[in-house]
């Protein structure tokens, strides 16, 4: 079971954007993911008449390493570790390690 999923609210714990909060836009692979408004870079693009794109400088999010983020716990208002738990009906769910609350049902 993966610790992070698309749409999770996370907080950055290391790097140039330390302390910023955002939402996971996509999971690139097991060790990288893209978070909204975090790790922004300026990308220079050429105009492409075939795709009707205009050239210029575009700001976009780049992937972050999974070790540099923690899931944001809205109850404690801090970053938290993620654990797994099996419910009585046999379904696996993710939980916050600090207060054992279920993240998703």
């Amino acid at each position: 079971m993966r610790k992070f999923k698309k749409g999770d609210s996370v907080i950055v714990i290391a790097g140039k954007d330390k302390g910023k909060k955002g939402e996971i836009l996509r999971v690139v692979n097991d060790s990288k993911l893209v978070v909204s408004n975090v790790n922004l870079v300026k990308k220079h693009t050429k105009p492409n008449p075939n795709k009707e794109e205009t050239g210029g400088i575009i700001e976009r999010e780049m992937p972050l390493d999974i070790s540099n983020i923690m899931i944001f716990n809205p109850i404690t208002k801090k970053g938290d570790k993620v654990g797994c738990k099996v419910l009585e009906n046999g379904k696996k769910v993710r939980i916050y390690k600090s207060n054992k609350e279920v993240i998703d049902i």
Side-chain angles (χ1 to χ4, degrees):
M1 178 172 233
R2 292 201 174 182
K3 291 187 177 186
F4 299 104
K5 292 183 181 177
K6 180 180 176 180
D8 284 348
S9 184
V10 294
I11 188 166
V12 180
I13 58 168
K16 67 177 185 178
D17 294 321
K18 183 177 179 177
K20 285 189 179 180
K21 294 175 195 157
E23 190 174 300
I24 297 177
L25 298 176
R26 64 188 166 97
V27 178
V28 180
N29 56 29
D30 288 340
S31 64
K32 299 270 186 184
L33 42 85
V34 177
V35 181
S36 64
N37 297 322
V38 176
N39 200 20
L40 293 172
V41 295
K42 292 183 188 278
K43 183 166 173 62
H44 297 260
T45 59
K46 283 186 169 182
N48 189 347
N50 295 337
K51 295 183 181 177
E52 299 177 6
E53 293 178 355
T54 58
I57 301 170
I58 300 169
E59 267 199 353
R60 57 180 280 190
E61 296 97 356
M62 293 301 285
L64 273 172
D65 197 78
I66 207 164
S67 65
N68 294 336
I69 65 162
M70 289 183 92
I71 197 157
F72 184 72
N73 189 341
I75 298 165
T76 60
K77 305 278 192 264
K78 293 182 190 174
D80 212 339
K81 291 182 179 181
V82 179
C84 291
K85 179 180 175 183
V86 179
L87 298 177
E88 295 83 30
N89 59 4
K91 188 176 178 188
K92 253 183 165 179
V93 293
R94 298 179 301 154
I95 60 168
Y96 297 114
K97 287 266 188 154
S98 64
N99 56 1
K100 308 289 189 237
E101 287 288 322
V102 176
I103 297 172
D104 49 2
I105 296 173

